[in-house]
Amino acid sequence: MLSNQIRRKIERDLVNQGMKVPSTQSRIIGFLYKESFKRDIFQKDIEEAFGIRRSSVTNVVQLMDKNGYIERVSVAEDARLKKIVLTDKGLEVQKIVGKVLEEAENSLRGVYSEEELSQLFYLLDKLSHALEE
């Protein structure tokens, strides 16, 4: 429930900024932005990072390409492989999404003291590890 409330708030804030990018696409844009500084990103990396089926990722990537947020670029070593890179439009979306996320995080952090935040993160991390087992 909390996750949905946070997602809805962020989506509302993005719409107020003029962004009508679905949350899945904005999360993928954020992933591409962060990870592409470290390595080339391929469709399989998105599948693994988000736990999404290949067919679903194919559909989202095609739509993002059509909307001009990304492009698929052939890799020199293997022309069959296409790395996924953000376009200037995708980078602009990332900039706005990053700003909205930072503002949302700051407003949510204001609800708790530093001690409470530390405890919250500890408990959430503990829960996350329990769910992975």
Side-chain angles (χ1 to χ4, degrees):
M1 211 168 72
L2 183 59
S3 175
N4 286 334
Q5 289 172 321
I6 292 170
R7 182 184 45 78
R8 279 189 225 112
K9 179 196 180 339
I10 290 169
E11 286 176 351
R12 275 192 315 271
D13 292 347
L14 285 172
V15 167
N16 291 338
Q17 294 283 329
M19 301 267 49
K20 294 184 180 176
V21 180
S23 63
T24 301
Q25 291 182 33
S26 64
R27 288 178 28 226
I28 291 172
I29 288 171
F31 172 76
L32 290 169
Y33 180 77
K34 290 175 191 167
E35 293 297 316
S36 63
F37 287 110
K38 303 173 196 170
R39 61 193 168 102
D40 288 342
I41 304 296
F42 301 94
Q43 182 172 322
K44 184 150 185 67
D45 298 315
I46 296 170
E47 294 166 20
E48 291 171 0
F50 293 95
I52 306 173
R53 290 186 315 264
R54 182 178 183 182
S55 60
S56 298
V57 174
T58 297
N59 292 336
V60 172
V61 167
Q62 286 174 346
L63 186 57
M64 291 174 72
D65 190 16
K66 179 181 173 185
N67 290 333
Y69 301 132
I70 62 163
E71 59 185 2
R72 292 176 276 189
V73 179
S74 293
V75 178
E77 306 86 54
D78 187 345
R80 296 172 296 171
L81 283 177
K82 305 276 188 207
K83 68 180 179 178
I84 301 171
V85 297
L86 290 174
T87 62
D88 289 341
K89 184 177 179 181
L91 289 169
E92 186 60 33
V93 167
Q94 170 55 33
K95 185 177 174 182
I96 294 168
V97 168
K99 180 181 169 220
V100 167
L101 288 175
E102 184 178 336
E103 289 170 357
E105 182 178 337
N106 288 337
S107 74
L108 292 173
R109 281 180 173 271
V111 172
Y112 296 107
S113 69
E114 285 301 317
E115 182 180 323
E116 289 171 324
L117 274 174
S118 179
Q119 186 176 20
L120 175 63
F121 290 143
Y122 168 77
L123 293 171
L124 290 172
D125 190 49
K126 185 175 180 179
L127 182 58
S128 177
H129 287 306
L131 293 171
E132 288 176 354
E133 296 174 354

